[in-house]
Amino acid sequence: MIDKHVIKNYGKKDTFSSFLPGIAGVKGIPLWCFYVNRGQGVVSFGYEDKNHSIMEFYPAHQAYYNVTRSGFRTFIKKNGIYFEAFKNDSETEMHIYQNKLEIIEKNQEHNLEISIKYYILPNEEIGSLVREVRIKNLDTKVCDLEVIDGMPQIIPCGITLDLMKEMGQTVKAWMTASDVNGAAYYKVRSSIVDSASVTEQKAGNFAFAFDDNKKILNSIVDPKVVFDYDNSLENPINFINKSLKELNEIEQVRENELPTAFFTQAKKLPENEVMVFNEVIGYVEDTDVLKKFIAKELDSVYFLVKEAEANQLVTDLTKTIETESNNSDFDKYAKYTYMDNILRGGYPIKLTKNKTFYTYSRKHGDLERDYNFFSMTAENYSQGNGNYRDVNQNRRNDNFFSPIIKEDNIKLFYNLIQVDGYNPLVIEKQSFKLNKNLELDDHLSSFLVNSFTPGSLSKFLNDGNYENSQQLFELILDNSELNIAYDFKEGYWSDHFTYNLDLIEEYLNIYPEKEVELMLDNSYKFAAISAEVNPRSIRYVKTDKGIRQYNAITDIEQNNYWHLSNKEEVKSTLIQKLILLSSVKFASLDPYGFGIEMEGGKPGWYDALNGLPGIFGSSMNETYEVLRNTRYLIRVLNKLDGKLTLIKPLIELIVNLSKIINQEKYQLRNELSVFSFWDKISLAREEYRDQVYHLEIENGQIDVSQLIIYMEEMEEILTVRINLAVEYNDNIPPSYFYYDVVNYLTKPEIVVESFKINKVANFLEGPVHYLKLLQDQKTRSEVYQRVKNSDLYDEKLNMYKVNASLKDMTYEIGRCKSFSPGWLENESIWLHMEYKYLLQVLKAQQYQEFFNDFNKMLVCFLDEDVYGRSILENSSFIVSSANNNKELHGRGFVARLSGSTAEFLSIYKSMMFGDEIFTYCNDLEFQLSPNIPKNLIKDDLTLTTTLLSKTKIKYHFVEKYDVTSLNSKCLSYTLTSFDNEVIKVNDSKVVGEIANDIRELKFKEILVKVGKINEI
């Protein structure tokens, strides 16, 4: 059965927006498509990005009222009586599937049932939205039915969003709507840019429809034919007053007008018979592609097959998280969340035996995220753009759910770390460059001179009718190198480095024996620097508000990757990257040695604190993560000996920082303000950056034993300063501070002599990172209780707010202060951060606390009428009880593509399998440690889940109870191979070759018996 969620009388519910996932298969062309719970659902769609709209893009608040006017319309005359479908108070339903939307109206006044399905056409060389309209006669008599269905406005290809919004009247002069074998073809005649270079437009948007007898339906492109004088598009005046036959005989104007995409059909309809419109609306590069497609056997069977393919696509994608628990909503929610995680992070596939590639990804932009410019390539193996932080987080669990990925993501994100400790913001679409000479024809060789995407290569080979095109495709890719395309864009966020260690830990959770090999891999690079962080002498400026920090960066010319003095591309070990991050970030501590300074001009995860960098803001969240990174380094360095190769400026920085720590040790251990320490490490950091920005660089060597001593010194100081900061903040782990300049000199540059610290309101982010550092259960429990008893907890909703009240904060901290409490990034339930907190409560083994919160806070357990949208879909934020509008409390806004998906997957994995699935101690060991609340255990005392994408794990419990790693253990494993060979292991763990076979996916099912520890 296909998973779906049903909303009855959707037009009377609170408004929400969502979207079809735009998944058309790796050999299909995707479209983006947004819908709302008003009118006929779909309100905007197109290809690539908002500049390629077919139905105009509107922000959500405009979409809600525009959809009934400019969205799809269905005008009906039954026995001569006119009405419009989905316009009155008839009974309606909205069926939300993972890759399809269906709406149904049961019109009792006219005894008709109108059902409409939408899905993106899969696995074809055209990108299109399929709209299937079925009108069923519920009368006992035959009726005369005349119907006009389709779009009252369609944007011709070549009209960008800004042209449509700002020059919509003028650009009509370029518009044409021609006929191509019965399909309407919409485009501009030529390029519109005011330039000496003018090109003819060949690509076009198209629309056509078939009935259920394969007859292509008459199309109407002239709005006047339908609406006559009613330019508001409210009433189809001509249709109301004329027969469909008369309308179809009117000569249509096909140019200089914003056209329609309507289809007409008249039919005598017996009882329970159906009138069908199979509509296909989309984009092609030229008319030849469209003619080829229309020539296909486009009958009802074709569309049934394509609908099934669309459903199967997401079924196949989400089977890796297939779950059978006692709560079907939870099982479906896991699939929906996994799919949405794919849409932001991408889905890894094997292009060839040796090449993996991410497809389906895109930036999270939609009707409610109207500020984000998303992009998805209109080609096979489609991909899109994304931000470093977002893609990184959403790929965190890929080694578990997609084991083919191995260390690829570690390499991608650490390669983008620059030698100054920062990274570019945007990850662009990925391409390949041929790096070996192959015997190819001139035409293909010419194409391969430049970089290419898998989609563009596939199209080139198919268009060229090459024999054995798939083998040629794989040969070329196997002899090509992946280009990591990125863009600095704007500023440096302080938190981006913190997500990289998660990738390492998740990799080692599957491949624990590869740690040293991973750390010493010498194939890593440094991304080229596009902007230099300015020294304090440039950053600090005098304003009428006092001294501020505004001139954070200076843009410079970008190269590809960073080079040594001999012009060779720098090759780095992974461990050098980790050492560099710990060192540079430690050298960025603030004047109290608490937070990491926001010297790059941008804040951290909570980017609504956009003003904090300007008022000398710092983040404790990154300090917690520097300590975590440093502790990891100490552990791994103790597995090494001898010397490590590092760049010489880094070795000098290490020596300088070690010297400063020893000089300032008393101050660091005993005082709040550590200005002298701050001044010295800031100078050391600036000297380091001056070398790596401007001087020729060479490699050097340093003893591992010296590095261990240095890391242990840093660990001690970081631990002391964190403890002081927590105590200073009334024992709730702080997230942020900012500083006032008290005394300064002008020389002529500004030299600060003293600062005054300012507390920032509590944020949930601080406890999230702090919990990762704690080892003892007592302190973990105390932190949990303090957070629960603080203003961070919303007692009405039983949820955690992203921050406490900002009423006492200055507006200079950032835009969050301007938002109403409980809305957007001010005191709302920011689902991503709430899920982050739940994950850390779970990992801190506060199991009962976690289960209590989990059952109240997980979206699929919420009251749908309060949440205001499908409980199978996440929101970015939920309005908290801090908001003045009580009717909004608990309602979700900004749908789906948020980091909450990554956190849920981590929660799911930790619940279902534990945190250390594979370990290594002389041999590989496999052990499951589930943490499952009793309400998810089925009545037959089982729960089934999926391990490493393929292996079914079926737990058998002794009774229904809250299962944790502290009160339970696995007693036995019964493993069944794909050849139906059965192996039984009567132990809590599986060791050696069998453990490796589990990792190599050689078993289709493992039955796991779980018992209580006190009863064993």
Side-chain angles (χ1 to χ4, degrees):
M1 187 176 69
I2 302 170
D3 294 333
K4 69 177 179 178
H5 185 78
V6 178
I7 300 177
K8 295 182 181 295
N9 296 317
Y10 64 86
K12 297 179 180 180
K13 300 292 177 70
D14 290 334
T15 54
F16 69 83
S17 70
S18 192
F19 51 86
L20 295 179
I23 292 176
V26 294
K27 293 296 182 71
I29 309 296
L31 261 63
W32 50 267
C33 179
F34 300 118
Y35 65 85
V36 297
N37 63 326
R38 292 293 184 270
Q40 296 194 28
V42 170
V43 68
S44 180
F45 67 96
Y47 64 99
E48 286 191 6
D49 52 40
K50 289 186 281 191
N51 275 330
H52 296 88
S53 297
I54 297 173
M55 181 181 282
E56 187 172 351
F57 178 91
Y58 293 103
H61 75 290
Q62 297 174 32
Y64 296 139
Y65 59 73
N66 280 333
V67 65
T68 56
R69 189 73 57 90
S70 59
F72 284 101
R73 310 280 290 276
T74 307
F75 306 126
I76 300 174
K77 278 199 286 194
K78 181 182 177 185
N79 298 327
I81 299 174
Y82 164 80
F83 73 99
E84 182 176 351
F86 297 93
K87 265 283 188 155
N88 56 23
D89 291 333
S90 296
E91 181 183 342
T92 62
E93 292 183 358
M94 177 174 279
H95 296 196
I96 301 172
Y97 299 81
Q98 286 182 280
N99 203 21
K100 181 176 67 175
L101 177 71
E102 182 176 13
I103 56 173
I104 301 170
E105 178 185 67
K106 295 181 179 177
N107 193 304
Q108 295 178 350
E109 180 182 355
H110 298 282
N111 272 335
L112 291 174
E113 179 181 277
I114 304 104
S115 64
I116 300 173
K117 293 178 184 177
Y118 300 98
Y119 59 91
I120 305 302
L121 186 68
N123 303 317
E124 289 285 3
E125 59 180 324
I126 66 169
S128 61
L129 176 71
V130 176
R131 170 180 159 95
E132 179 194 278
V133 182
R134 300 177 68 85
I135 304 173
K136 184 177 182 180
N137 180 18
L138 301 179
D139 265 345
T140 57
K141 301 177 181 178
V142 175
C143 69
D144 287 317
L145 210 60
E146 293 180 298
V147 179
I148 298 178
D149 186 89
M151 298 168 59
Q153 293 181 335
I154 184 170
I155 302 176
C157 185
I159 305 293
T160 59
L161 190 63
D162 59 339
L163 287 175
M164 193 67 197
K165 303 287 188 188
E166 299 172 11
M167 291 175 54
Q169 176 64 29
T170 301
V171 296
K172 289 196 295 184
W174 277 265
M175 296 179 182
T176 65
S178 59
D179 181 274
V180 177
N181 292 4
Y185 195 64
Y186 308 91
K187 68 181 186 69
V188 295
R189 296 181 181 88
S190 65
S191 56
I192 299 176
V193 178
D194 189 7
S195 168
S197 175
V198 181
T199 57
E200 181 184 357
Q201 174 84 18
K202 292 187 177 181
N205 299 331
F206 66 85
F208 64 86
F210 286 87
D211 66 10
D212 55 348
N213 293 315
K214 298 189 291 184
K215 176 189 174 186
I216 196 162
L217 298 175
N218 182 64
S219 62
I220 300 176
V221 301
D222 182 355
K224 197 171 182 63
V225 170
V226 176
F227 296 102
D228 196 19
Y229 60 81
D230 190 353
N231 294 337
S232 72
L233 309 181
E234 177 65 25
N235 298 299
I237 302 299
N238 270 343
F239 180 56
I240 293 171
N241 296 324
K242 293 182 169 76
S243 70
L244 205 55
K245 182 176 183 297
E246 290 175 299
L247 254 66
N248 287 333
E249 291 173 351
I250 297 174
E251 185 177 354
Q252 298 189 49
V253 176
R254 291 180 170 271
E255 58 187 16
N256 304 341
E257 189 61 75
L258 184 63
T260 63
F262 280 123
F263 311 101
T264 67
Q265 192 174 170
K267 190 174 185 179
K268 287 188 177 297
L269 206 61
E271 178 187 3
N272 290 325
E273 290 295 305
V274 178
M275 175 185 282
V276 177
F277 291 77
N278 289 310
E279 301 170 11
V280 184
I281 308 150
Y283 156 84
V284 288
E285 290 188 349
D286 57 54
T287 55
D288 289 342
V289 178
L290 182 58
K291 291 173 183 176
K292 179 181 175 183
F293 180 75
I294 292 174
K296 288 189 173 188
E297 192 78 5
L298 299 177
D299 56 8
S300 57
V301 174
Y302 171 86
F303 289 105
L304 282 173
V305 169
K306 286 300 174 182
E307 181 184 347
E309 283 181 23
N311 291 327
Q312 191 63 43
L313 276 172
V314 294
T315 298
D316 291 343
L317 284 174
T318 58
K319 66 183 179 182
T320 188
I321 197 171
E322 196 166 353
T323 311
E324 190 177 337
S325 75
N326 197 45
N327 189 302
S328 61
D329 284 340
F330 174 81
D331 302 343
K332 289 185 283 188
Y333 175 73
K335 288 184 177 181
Y336 275 68
T337 302
Y338 180 72
M339 183 185 70
D340 281 354
N341 192 76
I342 286 172
L343 296 184
R344 208 164 83 140
Y347 181 72
I349 61 171
K350 280 282 190 184
L351 288 174
T352 73
K353 184 178 179 180
N354 303 313
K355 286 285 192 300
T356 57
F357 180 77
Y358 274 90
T359 187
Y360 301 143
S361 62
R362 89 286 303 269
K363 195 172 186 176
H364 51 301
D366 51 61
L367 305 183
E368 293 181 79
R369 296 183 185 88
D370 45 14
Y371 52 86
N372 264 347
F373 196 81
F374 61 87
S375 175
M376 47 200 291
T377 55
E379 61 184 14
N380 296 165
Y381 306 99
S382 179
Q383 54 176 319
N385 59 338
N387 287 346
Y388 184 96
R389 173 201 295 140
D390 304 332
V391 180
N392 193 328
Q393 290 182 98
N394 286 82
R395 292 185 184 181
R396 179 197 306 154
N397 295 291
D398 281 6
N399 262 306
F400 179 84
F401 290 104
S402 303
I404 63 171
I405 207 65
K406 300 282 186 351
E407 67 273 15
D408 286 2
N409 281 320
I410 297 173
K411 187 151 284 187
L412 168 64
F413 290 102
Y414 274 100
N415 275 345
L416 290 176
I417 295 294
Q418 301 163 180
V419 74
D420 61 359
Y422 288 108
N423 57 271
L425 172 63
V426 176
I427 299 176
E428 303 285 8
K429 67 179 182 181
Q430 306 302 290
S431 61
F432 290 85
K433 188 75 169 64
L434 190 68
N435 60 3
K436 289 185 181 178
N437 291 324
L438 299 176
E439 292 186 8
L440 304 169
D441 65 56
D442 291 344
H443 187 46
L444 182 52
S445 295
S446 177
F447 170 78
L448 295 173
V449 167
N450 299 312
S451 297
F452 58 89
T453 64
S456 65
L457 175 61
S458 175
K459 184 179 186 307
F460 186 90
L461 295 175
N462 290 334
D463 289 350
N465 294 314
Y466 283 87
E467 293 183 7
N468 302 317
S469 60
Q470 182 60 32
Q471 291 92 323
L472 192 53
F473 176 80
E474 294 181 13
L475 173 68
I476 291 169
L477 283 168
D478 274 333
N479 289 280
S480 299
E481 183 178 8
L482 178 66
N483 291 327
I484 307 300
Y486 56 87
D487 187 357
F488 160 71
K489 210 66 176 179
E490 50 175 321
Y492 289 127
W493 272 257
S494 63
D495 67 314
H496 282 190
F497 78 97
T498 66
Y499 310 105
N500 289 0
L501 186 56
D502 294 338
L503 298 174
I504 292 174
E505 289 179 342
E506 291 302 324
Y507 172 81
L508 295 176
N509 193 25
I510 309 297
Y511 307 101
E513 75 279 17
K514 294 183 177 293
E515 183 171 41
V516 172
E517 177 185 343
L518 179 71
M519 288 296 117
L520 298 183
D521 179 356
N522 193 38
S523 63
Y524 286 79
K525 304 175 182 179
F526 288 102
I529 294 167
S530 300
E532 295 178 354
V533 180
N534 290 325
R536 291 169 292 174
S537 60
I538 299 176
R539 293 204 310 272
Y540 297 177
V541 296
K542 190 173 184 178
T543 74
D544 57 2
K545 296 176 289 187
I547 305 302
R548 294 294 183 264
Q549 181 177 237
Y550 289 151
N551 299 326
I553 58 174
T554 297
D555 292 340
I556 61 172
E557 185 177 346
Q558 178 181 357
N559 295 312
N560 203 9
Y561 280 101
W562 195 60
H563 290 71
L564 288 172
S565 58
N566 61 5
K567 307 304 180 187
E568 288 184 12
E569 196 170 75
V570 172
K571 297 295 184 182
S572 172
T573 57
L574 179 56
I575 198 167
Q576 175 173 223
K577 292 264 188 173
L578 291 163
I579 293 168
L580 183 150
L581 286 170
S582 272
S583 301
V584 173
K585 302 305 177 182
F586 180 83
S588 304
L589 286 168
D590 67 24
Y592 275 53
F594 286 172
I596 301 298
E597 291 187 314
M598 298 175 179
E599 56 164 0
K602 295 292 182 181
W605 176 88
Y606 189 89
D607 51 17
L609 285 170
N610 53 297
L612 213 55
I615 54 175
F616 301 93
S618 67
S619 173
M620 286 297 302
N621 310 304
E622 282 70 80
T623 307
Y624 304 135
E625 292 295 335
V626 174
L627 178 54
R628 176 172 162 240
N629 193 77
T630 302
R631 285 178 175 173
Y632 174 75
L633 275 168
I634 292 170
R635 185 171 68 79
V636 77
L637 284 168
N638 275 292
K639 296 181 180 181
L640 308 177
D641 53 27
K643 296 179 182 292
L644 285 180
T645 298
L646 307 178
I647 56 171
K648 285 185 177 180
L650 179 56
I651 295 174
E652 291 177 22
L653 178 62
I654 289 167
V655 172
N656 285 339
L657 291 177
S658 183
K659 181 180 177 181
I660 295 167
I661 290 171
N662 285 290
Q663 288 173 344
E664 304 290 336
K665 191 163 287 187
Y666 177 83
Q667 184 190 42
L668 288 165
R669 287 173 174 170
N670 297 284
E671 298 179 11
L672 277 178
S673 176
V674 288
F675 183 88
S676 174
F677 168 77
W678 168 81
D679 194 39
K680 290 177 180 178
I681 61 171
S682 297
L683 181 60
R685 182 179 76 247
E686 289 169 359
E687 289 174 345
Y688 167 77
R689 290 222 175 103
D690 189 53
Q691 289 186 67
V692 298
Y693 286 162
H694 306 125
L695 301 179
E696 294 185 342
I697 302 303
E698 295 180 352
N699 280 324
Q701 290 196 318
I702 187 171
D703 288 335
V704 169
S705 58
Q706 183 180 349
L707 283 170
I708 293 172
I709 293 170
Y710 161 68
M711 289 292 165
E712 289 174 344
E713 291 171 341
M714 279 207 305
E715 180 191 26
E716 181 204 348
I717 298 307
L718 288 166
T719 303
V720 168
R721 301 315 296 177
I722 286 171
N723 290 339
L724 281 172
V726 173
E727 182 181 349
Y728 182 71
N729 199 53
D730 302 320
N731 291 312
I732 291 181
S735 297
Y736 304 103
F737 296 104
Y738 70 94
Y739 291 85
D740 295 328
V741 174
V742 178
N743 296 304
Y744 67 93
L745 300 174
T746 304
K747 296 187 172 182
E749 73 276 7
I750 294 167
V751 178
V752 177
E753 292 188 318
S754 62
F755 288 98
K756 173 183 171 290
I757 192 171
N758 296 281
K759 291 183 180 180
V760 177
N762 285 321
F763 283 70
L764 190 60
E765 194 177 356
V768 165
H769 294 279
Y770 184 67
L771 279 171
K772 297 179 185 181
L773 304 175
L774 300 180
Q775 304 299 319
D776 66 288
Q777 290 292 78
K778 182 175 180 294
T779 309
R780 290 169 171 174
S781 178
E782 289 172 349
V783 170
Y784 176 85
Q785 291 303 327
R786 289 193 192 104
V787 171
K788 197 71 171 276
N789 295 331
S790 76
D791 191 24
L792 290 169
Y793 186 66
D794 189 323
E795 292 187 5
K796 177 181 178 180
L797 298 182
N798 293 310
M799 293 179 172
Y800 295 100
K801 297 186 295 183
V802 70
N803 60 276
S805 173
L806 300 178
K807 68 180 188 307
D808 297 327
M809 296 288 101
T810 170
Y811 278 96
E812 280 196 84
I813 64 171
R815 63 179 179 268
C816 54
K817 169 70 175 177
S818 298
F819 299 151
S820 301
W823 184 258
L824 282 177
E825 294 138 306
N826 183 9
E827 279 197 86
S828 69
I829 313 301
W830 204 265
L831 200 64
H832 186 185
M833 189 51 65
E834 182 179 60
Y835 277 18
K836 275 180 177 287
Y837 183 67
L838 288 180
L839 173 62
Q840 294 312 315
V841 171
L842 173 59
K843 285 181 171 290
Q845 298 183 324
Q846 303 296 293
Y847 293 124
Q848 287 308 316
E849 292 82 355
F850 168 77
F851 292 152
N852 290 336
D853 288 344
F854 173 82
N855 287 319
K856 293 174 183 175
M857 299 173 187
L858 208 69
V859 165
C860 61
F861 300 146
L862 299 181
D863 183 331
E864 181 186 296
D865 289 333
V866 176
Y867 186 54
R869 62 200 319 140
S870 168
I871 57 170
L872 303 183
E873 297 176 349
N874 295 321
S875 299
S876 275
F877 75 93
I878 295 171
V879 180
S880 76
S881 63
N883 192 265
N884 287 329
N885 188 345
K886 294 181 180 180
E887 292 184 1
L888 292 181
H889 294 177
R891 186 172 160 193
F893 287 87
V894 189
R896 298 174 58 179
L897 298 191
S898 83
S900 59
T901 61
E903 307 311 326
F904 171 76
L905 294 182
S906 291
I907 290 170
Y908 179 94
K909 188 163 66 69
S910 185
M911 286 174 59
M912 296 296 163
F913 309 103
D915 293 326
E916 292 186 326
I917 303 171
F918 291 97
T919 55
Y920 190 83
C921 183
N922 299 319
D923 210 341
L924 188 65
E925 298 180 355
F926 169 81
Q927 183 173 24
L928 299 177
S929 303
N931 303 289
I932 299 172
K934 61 185 176 183
N935 55 297
L936 291 185
I937 297 174
K938 295 175 68 177
D939 291 340
D940 64 358
L941 304 182
T942 67
L943 183 147
T944 304
T945 181
T946 308
L947 175 76
L948 298 178
S949 78
K950 285 188 178 180
T951 304
K952 292 298 174 189
I953 300 291
K954 187 170 186 177
Y955 288 112
H956 287 262
F957 303 100
V958 292
E959 61 182 85
K960 271 198 175 189
Y961 68 104
D962 289 334
V963 177
T964 77
S965 62
L966 299 179
N967 67 15
S968 306
K969 66 182 292 187
C970 296
L971 304 178
S972 66
Y973 301 85
T974 303
L975 306 96
T976 304
S977 73
F978 287 94
D979 295 328
N980 292 318
E981 179 186 353
V982 178
I983 301 171
K984 186 165 186 180
V985 177
N986 292 310
D987 200 346
S988 62
K989 62 180 67 175
V990 180
V991 181
E993 184 178 349
I994 301 176
N996 191 63
D997 286 346
I998 293 172
R999 190 169 66 179
E1000 295 296 319
L1001 306 178
K1002 294 184 179 180
F1003 298 102
K1004 65 180 180 182
E1005 184 179 59
I1006 304 176
L1007 303 181
V1008 185
K1009 186 176 180 182
V1010 181
K1012 290 185 174 180
I1013 289 177
N1014 60 5
E1015 296 178 3
I1016 298 173

